[in-house]
Coordinates of all heavy atoms in Angstrom, one line a residue:
M1 N 35.1 42.0 21.4 CA 35.5 41.3 20.2 C 34.3 41.0 19.4 O 33.3 40.6 19.8 CB 36.2 40.0 20.6 CG 36.5 39.1 19.4 SD 37.3 37.6 19.8 CE 38.9 37.9 19.2
I2 N 34.5 41.3 18.0 CA 33.4 40.9 17.1 C 33.8 39.8 16.3 O 34.9 39.7 15.6 CB 33.2 42.2 16.1 CG1 32.8 43.4 16.9 CG2 32.2 41.8 15.1 CD1 32.7 44.7 16.1
V3 N 33.0 38.7 16.3 CA 33.2 37.5 15.6 C 32.0 37.4 14.6 O 30.9 37.5 14.9 CB 33.2 36.3 16.5 CG1 33.4 35.0 15.7 CG2 34.3 36.4 17.6
S4 N 32.4 37.1 13.3 CA 31.4 36.8 12.3 C 31.5 35.4 11.8 O 32.6 34.8 11.8 CB 31.5 37.7 11.1 OG 32.8 37.6 10.5
I5 N 30.4 34.8 11.5 CA 30.3 33.4 11.0 C 29.4 33.4 9.7 O 28.3 33.9 9.7 CB 29.7 32.5 12.1 CG1 30.6 32.6 13.3 CG2 29.6 31.0 11.6 CD1 29.9 31.8 14.5
N6 N 30.0 32.8 8.7 CA 29.2 32.6 7.4 C 29.5 31.2 6.8 O 30.7 30.8 6.9 CB 29.5 33.7 6.5 CG 28.9 35.0 6.8 OD1 29.5 35.8 7.4 ND2 27.7 35.2 6.3
Q7 N 28.6 30.6 6.2 CA 28.8 29.5 5.3 C 29.4 30.1 4.0 O 29.1 31.2 3.6 CB 27.5 28.8 5.1 CG 26.9 28.1 6.3 CD 25.7 27.3 6.0 OE1 25.3 27.0 4.8 NE2 24.9 26.9 7.0
P8 N 30.3 29.2 3.5 CA 30.9 29.7 2.2 C 29.8 29.9 1.0 O 28.8 29.3 1.1 CB 31.8 28.6 1.7 CG 31.7 27.5 2.8 CD 30.7 28.0 3.8
A9 N 30.1 30.9 0.2 CA 29.1 31.2 -0.8 C 29.9 31.4 -2.1 O 31.0 32.1 -2.0 CB 28.3 32.4 -0.5
Y10 N 29.4 31.0 -3.2 CA 30.0 31.3 -4.5 C 29.5 32.8 -4.9 O 28.4 33.1 -4.9 CB 29.5 30.3 -5.6 CG 30.1 30.5 -6.9 CD1 31.5 30.5 -7.1 CD2 29.4 30.8 -8.0 CE1 32.0 30.7 -8.3 CE2 29.9 31.0 -9.3 CZ 31.3 31.0 -9.4 OH 31.9 31.1 -10.6
L11 N 30.5 33.6 -5.2 CA 30.3 35.0 -5.5 C 29.5 35.6 -4.4 O 28.4 36.1 -4.5 CB 29.6 35.2 -6.8 CG 30.2 34.5 -8.1 CD1 29.2 34.7 -9.3 CD2 31.6 35.2 -8.4
P12 N 30.1 35.8 -3.2 CA 29.4 36.3 -2.0 C 29.0 37.8 -2.3 O 29.6 38.5 -3.0 CB 30.4 36.2 -0.9 CG 31.7 35.9 -1.4 CD 31.5 35.4 -2.8
W13 N 27.9 38.2 -1.6 CA 27.4 39.5 -1.6 C 28.4 40.5 -1.0 O 29.2 40.1 -0.1 CB 26.1 39.6 -0.9 CG 26.0 39.0 0.5 CD1 26.1 37.7 0.9 CD2 25.8 39.7 1.7 NE1 26.0 37.6 2.2 CE2 25.9 38.9 2.7 CE3 25.6 41.1 2.0 CZ2 25.7 39.2 4.1 CZ3 25.5 41.4 3.3 CH2 25.5 40.6 4.3
L14 N 28.4 41.7 -1.4 CA 29.3 42.7 -0.8 C 29.3 42.9 0.7 O 30.4 43.2 1.3 CB 29.1 44.1 -1.5 CG 29.4 44.2 -2.9 CD1 29.0 45.5 -3.6 CD2 30.9 43.9 -3.3
G15 N 28.1 42.8 1.3 CA 28.1 42.8 2.8 C 28.8 41.8 3.4 O 29.3 42.0 4.6
Y16 N 29.1 40.6 2.8 CA 30.0 39.6 3.3 C 31.3 40.1 3.6 O 31.9 40.0 4.7 CB 30.0 38.5 2.4 CG 31.0 37.3 2.8 CD1 30.6 36.4 3.7 CD2 32.3 37.4 2.2 CE1 31.5 35.3 4.0 CE2 33.1 36.4 2.6 CZ 32.8 35.4 3.5 OH 33.7 34.4 3.8
F17 N 31.9 40.9 2.6 CA 33.3 41.4 2.7 C 33.3 42.4 3.8 O 34.3 42.6 4.6 CB 33.8 41.8 1.4 CG 33.9 40.8 0.3 CD1 32.9 40.6 -0.6 CD2 34.8 39.8 0.5 CE1 33.0 39.7 -1.6 CE2 35.0 38.7 -0.4 CZ 34.0 38.7 -1.4
H18 N 32.3 43.3 4.0 CA 32.2 44.2 5.0 C 32.2 43.6 6.4 O 32.8 44.0 7.2 CB 31.0 45.2 4.8 CG 30.8 46.2 5.9 ND1 31.6 47.3 6.1 CD2 29.9 46.2 6.9 CE1 31.2 47.9 7.1 NE2 30.2 47.3 7.6
R19 N 31.3 42.6 6.5 CA 31.2 41.9 7.7 C 32.6 41.3 8.1 O 33.0 41.4 9.3 CB 30.2 40.7 7.6 CG 30.0 40.0 8.8 CD 29.0 38.9 8.7 NE 27.7 39.5 8.5 CZ 26.7 38.7 8.3 NH1 26.7 37.4 8.2 NH2 25.4 39.3 8.2
V20 N 33.3 40.7 7.2 CA 34.7 40.2 7.5 C 35.6 41.3 7.9 O 36.3 41.2 8.9 CB 35.2 39.4 6.3 CG1 36.7 39.0 6.5 CG2 34.3 38.2 6.0
A21 N 35.5 42.4 7.2 CA 36.5 43.5 7.5 C 36.3 44.1 8.9 O 37.3 44.6 9.4 CB 36.3 44.6 6.3
V22 N 35.1 44.2 9.4 CA 34.9 44.8 10.7 C 34.9 43.9 11.7 O 34.7 44.2 12.9 CB 33.5 45.6 10.7 CG1 33.4 46.7 9.7 CG2 32.3 44.6 10.5
S23 N 35.2 42.6 11.5 CA 35.3 41.6 12.5 C 36.8 41.4 13.0 O 37.7 41.6 12.2 CB 34.8 40.2 11.9 OG 33.4 40.3 11.5
D24 N 36.8 41.0 14.3 CA 38.2 40.7 14.8 C 38.5 39.3 14.4 O 39.7 39.0 14.3 CB 38.1 40.8 16.3 CG 37.9 42.3 16.8 OD1 38.5 43.2 16.3 OD2 36.9 42.5 17.6
A25 N 37.5 38.5 14.3 CA 37.7 37.0 13.8 C 36.5 36.6 13.0 O 35.4 37.0 13.2 CB 37.8 36.1 15.1
H26 N 36.8 35.9 11.9 CA 35.8 35.4 11.0 C 35.9 33.9 10.9 O 36.9 33.3 10.7 CB 35.9 36.0 9.6 CG 34.9 35.5 8.7 ND1 33.6 35.9 8.8 CD2 34.9 34.6 7.6 CE1 32.9 35.2 7.8 NE2 33.8 34.4 7.1
I27 N 34.8 33.2 11.0 CA 34.7 31.7 11.1 C 34.0 31.4 9.8 O 32.8 31.8 9.5 CB 34.0 31.2 12.3 CG1 34.9 31.6 13.5 CG2 33.9 29.7 12.1 CD1 34.1 31.3 14.8
V28 N 34.6 30.5 9.0 CA 33.9 29.9 7.8 C 33.3 28.6 8.2 O 33.9 27.6 8.6 CB 34.9 29.7 6.7 CG1 34.2 29.0 5.5 CG2 35.6 31.0 6.2
L29 N 31.9 28.6 8.2 CA 31.1 27.5 8.7 C 30.9 26.5 7.6 O 30.0 26.5 7.0 CB 29.8 28.0 9.3 CG 28.9 26.9 10.0 CD1 29.5 26.4 11.2 CD2 27.6 27.6 10.3
D30 N 31.9 25.6 7.5 CA 31.9 24.7 6.4 C 31.8 23.2 6.8 O 31.9 22.3 6.0 CB 33.1 24.8 5.4 CG 34.4 24.4 6.2 OD1 34.4 24.2 7.3 OD2 35.4 24.4 5.4
Q31 N 31.5 23.0 8.1 CA 31.3 21.6 8.7 C 29.8 21.3 8.9 O 29.4 20.6 9.7 CB 32.1 21.4 9.8 CG 33.6 21.6 9.5 CD 34.5 20.9 10.5 OE1 34.0 20.2 11.4 NE2 35.8 21.0 10.3
V32 N 28.9 22.0 8.1 CA 27.5 21.7 8.1 C 27.1 21.1 6.8 O 27.8 21.1 5.8 CB 26.7 23.0 8.3 CG1 27.0 23.6 9.6 CG2 27.0 24.0 7.2
Q33 N 25.9 20.5 6.7 CA 25.5 19.8 5.5 C 25.4 20.7 4.3 O 24.8 21.9 4.4 CB 24.1 19.1 5.8 CG 23.6 18.3 4.7 CD 22.3 17.5 5.0 OE1 22.2 17.0 6.0 NE2 21.4 17.5 4.0
F34 N 25.8 20.2 3.2 CA 25.7 20.9 1.9 C 24.2 20.9 1.5 O 23.6 19.8 1.6 CB 26.6 20.3 0.9 CG 26.3 20.8 -0.5 CD1 26.8 22.1 -0.9 CD2 25.6 20.1 -1.5 CE1 26.5 22.6 -2.2 CE2 25.4 20.6 -2.7 CZ 25.8 21.8 -3.1
E35 N 23.7 22.0 1.1 CA 22.3 22.0 0.7 C 22.2 22.2 -0.8 O 22.8 23.2 -1.3 CB 21.5 23.2 1.4 CG 21.4 23.1 2.8 CD 20.6 24.3 3.4 OE1 19.6 24.8 2.7 OE2 21.0 24.7 4.4
K36 N 21.5 21.4 -1.5 CA 21.3 21.5 -2.9 C 20.6 22.7 -3.2 O 19.7 23.2 -2.6 CB 20.6 20.2 -3.5 CG 20.5 20.1 -4.9 CD 19.7 18.9 -5.3 CE 19.7 18.9 -6.8 NZ 18.9 17.7 -7.3
N37 N 21.0 23.4 -4.4 CA 20.5 24.6 -4.8 C 20.7 25.8 -3.9 O 19.8 26.7 -3.9 CB 18.9 24.5 -5.3 CG 18.7 23.5 -6.4 OD1 19.6 23.4 -7.3 ND2 17.7 22.8 -6.2
S38 N 21.7 25.8 -3.1 CA 21.9 26.9 -2.2 C 23.0 27.8 -2.8 O 23.5 27.5 -3.9 CB 22.5 26.4 -0.9 OG 23.8 25.8 -1.0
F39 N 23.3 28.8 -2.1 CA 24.3 29.8 -2.7 C 25.8 29.3 -2.4 O 26.7 30.0 -2.8 CB 24.1 31.2 -2.0 CG 22.9 31.9 -2.6 CD1 21.7 31.9 -1.9 CD2 22.9 32.5 -3.8 CE1 20.6 32.5 -2.4 CE2 21.8 33.2 -4.3 CZ 20.7 33.2 -3.7
T40 N 25.9 28.2 -1.8 CA 27.3 27.6 -1.6 C 27.9 27.4 -3.0 O 29.1 27.6 -3.1 CB 27.1 26.2 -0.9 OG1 26.4 26.5 0.3 CG2 28.5 25.7 -0.6
N41 N 27.2 26.9 -3.9 CA 27.8 26.6 -5.3 C 27.2 27.3 -6.4 O 27.5 27.0 -7.6 CB 27.9 25.1 -5.6 CG 26.5 24.5 -5.8 OD1 25.5 24.7 -5.0 ND2 26.3 23.8 -6.9
R42 N 26.3 28.3 -6.1 CA 25.7 29.0 -7.2 C 25.3 30.4 -6.8 O 25.2 30.7 -5.6 CB 24.5 28.3 -7.8 CG 23.3 28.2 -6.9 CD 22.3 27.3 -7.5 NE 21.0 27.6 -6.9 CZ 19.8 27.5 -7.6 NH1 19.8 27.3 -8.8 NH2 18.7 27.9 -7.0
N43 N 25.1 31.3 -7.7 CA 24.7 32.6 -7.4 C 24.0 33.3 -8.6 O 24.1 32.7 -9.8 CB 25.7 33.5 -7.0 CG 25.2 34.5 -5.9 OD1 24.1 35.0 -6.0 ND2 26.1 34.8 -5.0
K44 N 23.2 34.3 -8.5 CA 22.4 34.9 -9.5 C 23.1 36.2 -9.9 O 23.3 37.0 -8.9 CB 21.0 35.1 -9.1 CG 20.0 35.1 -10.2 CD 18.5 35.1 -9.8 CE 18.0 35.3 -8.5 NZ 16.5 35.4 -8.5
V45 N 23.3 36.4 -11.1 CA 23.9 37.7 -11.6 C 22.9 38.4 -12.6 O 22.2 37.7 -13.3 CB 25.2 37.6 -12.2 CG1 26.3 37.1 -11.2 CG2 25.2 36.7 -13.4
R46 N 22.9 39.7 -12.5 CA 22.1 40.5 -13.4 C 22.8 40.6 -14.7 O 23.9 41.2 -14.7 CB 21.6 41.7 -12.8 CG 20.5 42.4 -13.6 CD 20.1 43.9 -13.1 NE 19.8 43.7 -11.7 CZ 18.6 44.0 -11.1 NH1 17.7 44.4 -11.9 NH2 18.4 43.9 -9.9
T47 N 22.1 40.4 -15.8 CA 22.7 40.7 -17.3 C 21.7 41.6 -17.9 O 20.6 42.0 -17.4 CB 22.8 39.3 -18.0 OG1 21.4 38.9 -18.3 CG2 23.6 38.3 -17.2
R48 N 22.0 42.0 -19.1 CA 21.1 42.9 -19.9 C 19.8 42.1 -20.2 O 18.8 42.8 -20.3 CB 21.8 43.2 -21.3 CG 22.9 44.2 -21.1 CD 23.5 44.6 -22.5 NE 24.7 45.1 -22.4 CZ 25.6 45.0 -23.3 NH1 25.4 44.5 -24.5 NH2 26.9 45.6 -23.1
E49 N 19.9 40.9 -20.3 CA 18.7 40.0 -20.6 C 17.9 39.7 -19.4 O 16.8 39.1 -19.5 CB 19.1 38.8 -21.4 CG 19.7 39.0 -22.7 CD 21.2 39.3 -22.7 OE1 21.9 38.8 -21.7 OE2 21.8 40.0 -23.6
G50 N 18.4 40.0 -18.3 CA 17.7 39.6 -17.0 C 18.6 38.9 -16.0 O 19.8 38.9 -16.2
W51 N 18.1 38.1 -15.1 CA 18.9 37.4 -14.2 C 19.4 36.1 -14.8 O 18.7 35.5 -15.6 CB 18.0 37.1 -12.9 CG 17.8 38.3 -12.2 CD1 16.7 39.1 -12.2 CD2 18.7 38.9 -11.2 NE1 16.8 40.1 -11.3 CE2 18.0 40.1 -10.7 CE3 20.0 38.6 -10.8 CZ2 18.6 40.9 -9.7 CZ3 20.5 39.5 -9.8 CH2 19.9 40.6 -9.3
C52 N 20.7 35.7 -14.4 CA 21.2 34.5 -14.9 C 21.9 33.7 -13.7 O 22.6 34.4 -12.9 CB 22.3 34.9 -15.9 SG 23.4 33.5 -16.4
W53 N 21.6 32.5 -13.6 CA 22.3 31.7 -12.5 C 23.5 31.2 -13.0 O 23.7 30.6 -14.2 CB 21.3 30.4 -12.2 CG 20.2 30.8 -11.3 CD1 18.9 31.0 -11.7 CD2 20.2 30.9 -9.9 NE1 18.1 31.3 -10.7 CE2 18.9 31.2 -9.5 CE3 21.2 31.0 -9.0 CZ2 18.5 31.5 -8.1 CZ3 20.9 31.2 -7.6 CH2 19.6 31.4 -7.2
L54 N 24.6 31.3 -12.2 CA 25.9 30.8 -12.5 C 26.1 29.6 -11.3 O 26.1 30.0 -10.2 CB 27.0 31.7 -12.3 CG 27.0 32.8 -13.4 CD1 28.1 33.8 -13.1 CD2 27.0 32.3 -14.8
T55 N 26.2 28.4 -11.8 CA 26.3 27.3 -10.9 C 27.7 26.5 -11.1 O 28.0 26.2 -12.2 CB 25.2 26.3 -11.1 OG1 23.9 27.0 -11.0 CG2 25.2 25.1 -10.2
V56 N 28.3 26.3 -10.0 CA 29.5 25.4 -10.1 C 29.0 24.0 -9.8 O 28.4 23.7 -8.8 CB 30.5 25.8 -9.0 CG1 31.7 24.9 -9.0 CG2 31.0 27.2 -9.2
P57 N 29.2 23.1 -10.9 CA 28.7 21.7 -10.6 C 29.5 21.0 -9.6 O 30.7 21.1 -9.5 CB 28.9 21.1 -12.0 CG 30.0 21.8 -12.7 CD 29.8 23.2 -12.1
V58 N 28.8 20.2 -8.7 CA 29.5 19.4 -7.7 C 29.1 18.0 -7.8 O 28.1 17.6 -8.3 CB 29.1 20.1 -6.3 CG1 29.7 21.5 -6.2 CG2 27.6 20.1 -6.0
K59 N 30.0 17.2 -7.1 CA 29.8 15.8 -7.1 C 29.0 15.4 -5.8 O 29.7 15.5 -4.8 CB 31.2 15.1 -7.2 CG 32.0 15.3 -8.5 CD 33.3 14.6 -8.4 CE 34.1 14.9 -9.7 NZ 35.5 14.3 -9.6
T60 N 27.8 15.0 -6.0 CA 27.0 14.6 -4.8 C 26.4 13.2 -5.0 O 25.7 12.8 -4.0 CB 26.0 15.6 -4.5 OG1 25.1 15.7 -5.6 CG2 26.5 17.1 -4.2
A61 N 26.7 12.6 -6.1 CA 26.0 11.3 -6.3 C 26.2 10.3 -5.2 O 27.2 10.1 -4.7 CB 26.6 10.7 -7.6
S62 N 25.1 9.7 -4.8 CA 25.0 8.7 -3.7 C 25.5 9.2 -2.4 O 25.7 8.5 -1.5 CB 25.8 7.5 -4.1 OG 27.1 7.6 -4.0
K63 N 25.8 10.6 -2.2 CA 26.3 11.1 -0.9 C 25.4 12.2 -0.4 O 25.6 12.6 0.7 CB 27.7 11.7 -1.2 CG 28.8 10.8 -1.7 CD 30.1 11.6 -1.7 CE 30.9 11.1 -2.9 NZ 32.0 11.9 -3.1
F64 N 24.4 12.6 -1.2 CA 23.7 13.8 -0.8 C 22.9 13.5 0.4 O 22.3 12.4 0.7 CB 22.6 14.2 -2.0 CG 22.1 15.5 -1.7 CD1 22.8 16.6 -1.9 CD2 20.8 15.6 -1.3 CE1 22.3 17.9 -1.7 CE2 20.2 16.8 -1.1 CZ 21.0 18.0 -1.3
G65 N 22.9 14.4 1.3 CA 22.3 14.3 2.6 C 23.2 14.0 3.7 O 22.9 14.2 4.9
N66 N 24.4 13.5 3.3 CA 25.4 13.1 4.3 C 26.8 13.8 3.9 O 27.8 13.2 4.1 CB 25.6 11.7 4.4 CG 24.4 11.0 5.1 OD1 23.8 11.5 6.0 ND2 24.0 9.8 4.5
L67 N 26.7 15.0 3.4 CA 27.9 15.6 2.8 C 28.1 17.0 3.3 O 27.2 17.8 3.2 CB 27.7 15.7 1.3 CG 28.9 15.9 0.5 CD1 30.0 14.8 0.7 CD2 28.6 15.8 -1.1
C68 N 29.2 17.2 4.1 CA 29.4 18.5 4.6 C 30.0 19.3 3.5 O 30.6 18.9 2.6 CB 30.5 18.4 5.7 SG 29.8 17.8 7.3
I69 N 29.9 20.7 3.7 CA 30.4 21.6 2.7 C 31.8 21.4 2.4 O 32.2 21.4 1.3 CB 30.1 23.1 3.1 CG1 28.5 23.3 3.0 CG2 30.8 24.1 2.2 CD1 28.2 24.7 3.7
H70 N 32.6 21.2 3.4 CA 34.1 21.0 3.2 C 34.5 19.8 2.5 O 35.6 19.6 2.0 CB 34.9 21.2 4.5 CG 34.7 20.0 5.5 ND1 33.6 19.9 6.3 CD2 35.5 18.9 5.7 CE1 33.8 18.8 7.0 NE2 34.9 18.1 6.6
E71 N 33.5 18.9 2.3 CA 33.7 17.6 1.6 C 33.4 17.6 0.2 O 33.6 16.7 -0.6 CB 33.0 16.4 2.3 CG 33.4 16.1 3.7 CD 32.5 15.2 4.5 OE1 31.3 15.3 4.1 OE2 33.0 14.4 5.2
I72 N 32.7 18.8 -0.3 CA 32.3 18.8 -1.6 C 33.4 18.9 -2.6 O 34.4 19.6 -2.4 CB 31.4 20.1 -1.8 CG1 30.2 20.0 -1.0 CG2 31.1 20.4 -3.3 CD1 29.2 19.0 -1.5
E73 N 33.2 18.2 -3.7 CA 34.2 18.2 -4.8 C 33.6 18.9 -6.0 O 32.4 18.5 -6.3 CB 34.6 16.8 -5.2 CG 35.4 16.1 -4.2 CD 35.9 14.7 -4.6 OE1 36.5 14.6 -5.6 OE2 35.6 13.7 -3.9
I74 N 34.3 19.7 -6.7 CA 33.8 20.3 -8.0 C 33.9 19.3 -9.1 O 34.8 18.6 -9.2 CB 34.6 21.6 -8.2 CG1 34.5 22.6 -7.1 CG2 34.3 22.1 -9.6 CD1 35.4 23.8 -7.3
A75 N 32.8 19.3 -9.9 CA 32.8 18.3 -11.0 C 33.4 19.0 -12.2 O 32.7 19.6 -13.1 CB 31.3 17.9 -11.3
N76 N 34.7 19.1 -12.2 CA 35.5 19.8 -13.3 C 35.4 19.1 -14.7 O 35.8 19.7 -15.6 CB 36.9 19.9 -12.9 CG 37.0 21.1 -12.0 OD1 36.5 22.1 -12.1 ND2 37.9 20.8 -10.9
E77 N 34.8 17.9 -14.8 CA 34.7 17.3 -16.1 C 33.6 18.0 -16.9 O 33.5 17.9 -18.1 CB 34.3 15.8 -15.9 CG 33.2 15.5 -15.1 CD 33.5 15.3 -13.6 OE1 34.6 15.6 -13.2 OE2 32.4 15.1 -12.9
R78 N 32.8 18.8 -16.3 CA 31.8 19.6 -16.9 C 32.4 21.0 -17.2 O 33.2 21.5 -16.5 CB 30.5 19.8 -16.1 CG 29.9 18.4 -15.8 CD 28.6 18.4 -15.1 NE 27.7 19.4 -15.4 CZ 26.7 19.8 -14.7 NH1 26.6 19.2 -13.5 NH2 25.8 20.7 -15.1
Q79 N 32.0 21.5 -18.3 CA 32.6 22.8 -18.9 C 31.8 24.0 -18.3 O 31.1 24.7 -19.0 CB 32.5 22.7 -20.4 CG 33.3 21.7 -21.0 CD 34.8 21.7 -20.7 OE1 35.4 22.8 -20.7 NE2 35.4 20.6 -20.3
W80 N 32.0 24.3 -17.0 CA 31.3 25.3 -16.4 C 32.1 26.6 -16.2 O 31.6 27.7 -16.4 CB 30.8 24.9 -14.9 CG 32.1 24.6 -14.0 CD1 32.6 23.5 -13.9 CD2 32.6 25.6 -13.2 NE1 33.7 23.6 -13.0 CE2 33.7 24.9 -12.6 CE3 32.5 26.9 -12.9 CZ2 34.5 25.5 -11.6 CZ3 33.2 27.6 -11.9 CH2 34.3 26.8 -11.3
A81 N 33.4 26.5 -16.2 CA 34.2 27.7 -15.9 C 34.2 28.7 -17.1 O 34.3 29.9 -16.9 CB 35.7 27.3 -15.6
A82 N 34.3 28.1 -18.3 CA 34.2 29.0 -19.5 C 33.0 29.8 -19.5 O 33.0 31.0 -19.9 CB 34.3 28.1 -20.8
K83 N 31.8 29.2 -19.2 CA 30.6 30.0 -19.2 C 30.7 31.1 -18.3 O 30.2 32.2 -18.5 CB 29.4 29.0 -18.9 CG 28.1 29.8 -18.7 CD 27.0 28.9 -18.2 CE 25.7 29.8 -18.0 NZ 24.7 29.1 -17.3
H84 N 31.2 30.9 -17.0 CA 31.3 31.9 -16.0 C 32.3 33.0 -16.4 O 32.0 34.1 -16.2 CB 31.8 31.2 -14.7 CG 30.7 30.3 -14.1 ND1 30.5 30.2 -12.7 CD2 29.9 29.4 -14.6 CE1 29.6 29.4 -12.5 NE2 29.1 28.9 -13.7
R85 N 33.3 32.6 -17.0 CA 34.3 33.7 -17.5 C 33.6 34.5 -18.7 O 33.8 35.7 -18.6 CB 35.6 33.0 -18.0 CG 36.6 32.6 -16.9 CD 37.9 32.3 -17.5 NE 37.9 31.2 -18.3 CZ 38.0 29.9 -17.8 NH1 38.1 29.6 -16.6 NH2 38.0 28.9 -18.7
S86 N 32.9 33.9 -19.4 CA 32.2 34.5 -20.6 C 31.1 35.6 -20.0 O 31.1 36.7 -20.3 CB 31.4 33.5 -21.4 OG 30.6 34.2 -22.4
E87 N 30.4 35.1 -19.0 CA 29.4 35.9 -18.3 C 30.0 37.1 -17.6 O 29.6 38.3 -17.7 CB 28.5 35.2 -17.4 CG 27.4 34.4 -17.9 CD 26.4 35.4 -18.7 OE1 26.1 36.5 -18.4 OE2 25.9 34.8 -19.7
E88 N 31.2 36.8 -17.0 CA 31.9 37.9 -16.2 C 32.4 38.9 -17.2 O 32.3 40.1 -17.0 CB 33.0 37.2 -15.5 CG 33.9 38.3 -14.6 CD 35.0 37.6 -14.0 OE1 35.0 36.4 -13.7 OE2 35.9 38.4 -13.6
H89 N 32.9 38.5 -18.3 CA 33.5 39.4 -19.3 C 32.2 40.3 -19.9 O 32.5 41.5 -20.1 CB 34.1 38.6 -20.5 CG 34.6 39.5 -21.6 ND1 35.7 40.3 -21.4 CD2 34.2 39.7 -22.8 CE1 35.9 41.0 -22.5 NE2 35.0 40.6 -23.5
R90 N 31.2 39.6 -20.2 CA 30.0 40.4 -20.8 C 29.5 41.4 -19.7 O 29.2 42.5 -20.0 CB 28.8 39.4 -21.0 CG 29.0 38.7 -22.4 CD 27.8 37.9 -22.6 NE 26.6 38.3 -21.8 CZ 25.4 37.9 -22.1 NH1 25.2 37.1 -23.0 NH2 24.4 38.2 -21.3
L91 N 29.4 41.0 -18.5 CA 29.0 41.9 -17.4 C 30.0 43.1 -17.2 O 29.5 44.3 -17.1 CB 28.9 41.3 -16.1 CG 27.8 40.2 -15.9 CD1 27.9 39.4 -14.7 CD2 26.4 40.9 -16.0
N92 N 31.3 42.8 -17.3 CA 32.3 43.9 -17.1 C 32.4 44.8 -18.3 O 32.7 46.0 -18.2 CB 33.6 43.3 -16.7 CG 33.6 42.7 -15.3 OD1 32.9 43.2 -14.5 ND2 34.4 41.7 -15.1
S93 N 32.1 44.3 -19.5 CA 32.3 45.2 -20.7 C 31.0 45.9 -20.9 O 30.9 46.8 -21.8 CB 32.6 44.3 -21.9 OG 31.5 43.4 -22.1
S94 N 29.9 45.6 -20.3 CA 28.7 46.4 -20.4 C 28.5 47.7 -19.7 O 27.7 48.4 -20.0 CB 27.5 45.5 -20.1 OG 27.5 45.3 -18.7
H95 N 29.5 48.0 -18.9 CA 29.5 49.3 -18.1 C 30.3 50.3 -18.8 O 31.3 50.3 -19.1 CB 30.0 49.0 -16.7 CG 29.1 48.1 -15.9 ND1 29.3 46.8 -15.7 CD2 27.9 48.4 -15.3 CE1 28.3 46.2 -15.1 NE2 27.4 47.2 -14.8

């Protein structure tokens, strides 16, 4: 039996999907501490101008250091999704 374990990631790398596909079971390790500036809520994409960070804002005020990944809340009051859709559209239209 092949078991794979990964922490959740925003825009995971292609190897992640391959790892899941060849596994008999996949475990999402989300009961560990959330790390600030990790790939859990952000990732880097290549644009014509160079690399660009796409970050999903999260609510960590007064909880940081004692917050598991599965407890994270997205800070939807910030306008982040439109920027991400715009970057995605630019990336897809450039090919």
Side-chain angles (χ1 to χ4, degrees):
M1 173 179 252
I2 298 173
V3 178
S4 61
I5 302 172
N6 283 92
Q7 292 182 14
Y10 183 60
L11 304 174
W13 53 291
L14 290 177
Y16 171 87
F17 297 105
H18 174 74
R19 181 180 289 177
V20 172
V22 300
S23 299
D24 298 309
H26 179 73
I27 298 170
V28 177
L29 184 62
D30 64 353
Q31 297 206 4
V32 295
Q33 182 175 318
F34 171 74
E35 292 181 41
K36 186 176 181 181
N37 297 324
S38 69
F39 287 98
T40 303
N41 70 309
R42 68 187 204 144
N43 213 323
K44 208 170 13 171
V45 295
R46 189 184 307 244
T47 68
R48 287 185 201 152
E49 296 81 29
W51 289 98
C52 170
W53 281 102
L54 295 179
T55 303
V56 177
V58 294
K59 298 178 182 180
T60 60
S62 73
K63 300 181 211 169
F64 193 72
N66 294 319
L67 197 56
C68 288
I69 294 171
H70 73 276
E71 297 171 322
I72 293 291
E73 292 181 55
I74 296 174
N76 281 317
E77 56 275 1
R78 296 185 42 200
Q79 301 298 313
W80 63 273
K83 175 188 175 190
H84 292 219
R85 281 192 296 274
S86 172
E87 276 306 322
E88 181 183 339
H89 178 71
R90 280 183 18 165
L91 290 168
N92 290 330
S93 64
S94 67
H95 294 99

